[in-house]
Amino acid sequence: MTIIRQYIAPLLAVLVFSLALVAVSARIFLPSDMAAPAPIEENGEIGQWGNGESEVFALTQSPLLS
């Protein structure tokens, strides 16, 4: 158990943060049109379906956990 706490857990943490750093840094090498933020609609509405209805992200009732 001591080996996991002293060697493996810190190594996993360093690997995860290194992977995140590489993923974020990869934007430098993308073409300029791909590195730009995503475009938004001209009317400023975001999250609209093609038929004009809004997407629902919240539940109307909490789930039962029993």
Side-chain angles (χ1 to χ4, degrees):
M1 195 67 174
T2 320
I3 294 174
I4 294 173
R5 200 173 7 189
Q6 287 183 347
Y7 296 107
I8 296 175
L11 178 65
L12 285 176
V14 168
L15 288 176
V16 167
F17 285 115
S18 299
L19 180 66
L21 179 65
V22 167
V24 170
S25 299
R27 290 189 66 195
I28 297 170
F29 302 106
L30 290 175
S32 62
D33 59 339
M34 291 179 66
I40 58 171
E41 302 282 333
E42 286 186 18
N43 57 5
E45 296 190 16
I46 301 172
Q48 293 277 326
W49 290 97
N51 59 4
E53 294 181 9
S54 295
E55 186 176 359
V56 178
F57 292 102
L59 297 173
T60 56
Q61 186 178 5
S62 60
L64 296 175
L65 300 174
S66 56

